[in-house]
């Protein structure tokens, strides 16, 4: 899988799916997005809060390099 920039996991907005995101990222070595991570990122960003949620994948890793 060398020709993709990211992977989208279809998990609706089920927050329990967050635990799978870092596991899939580690296995595929690509950023992984879900509806939950995208929604949380957008909400926090719009509120002016750093999008940091521990163990929820690269998108929600805050200011850490992605």
């Amino acid at each position: 899988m060398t020709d993709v920039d990211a992977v989208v996991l279809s998990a609706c907005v089920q927050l329990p799916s967050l635990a799978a995101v870092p596991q899939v990222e580690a296995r595929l070595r690509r950023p992984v997005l879900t509806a939950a991570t995208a929604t949380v990122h957008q909400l926090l960003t719009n509120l002016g809060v750093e999008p940091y949620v521990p163990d929820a994948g690269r998108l929600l890793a805050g200011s850490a390099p992605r």
Side-chain angles (χ1 to χ4, degrees), residues 18-66:
L18 289 178
V21 173
Q23 294 175 29
V24 176
E25 284 184 339
R27 185 167 186 159
L28 299 179
R29 294 186 294 227
R30 297 285 183 275
V32 171
L33 306 172
T34 69
T37 59
T39 300
V40 170
H41 183 275
Q42 187 67 35
L43 286 169
L44 293 176
T45 300
N46 285 347
L47 290 170
V49 176
E50 182 177 12
Y52 175 71
V53 177
D55 302 318
R58 292 186 205 181
L59 183 64
L60 297 175
S63 59
R66 294 188 184 114

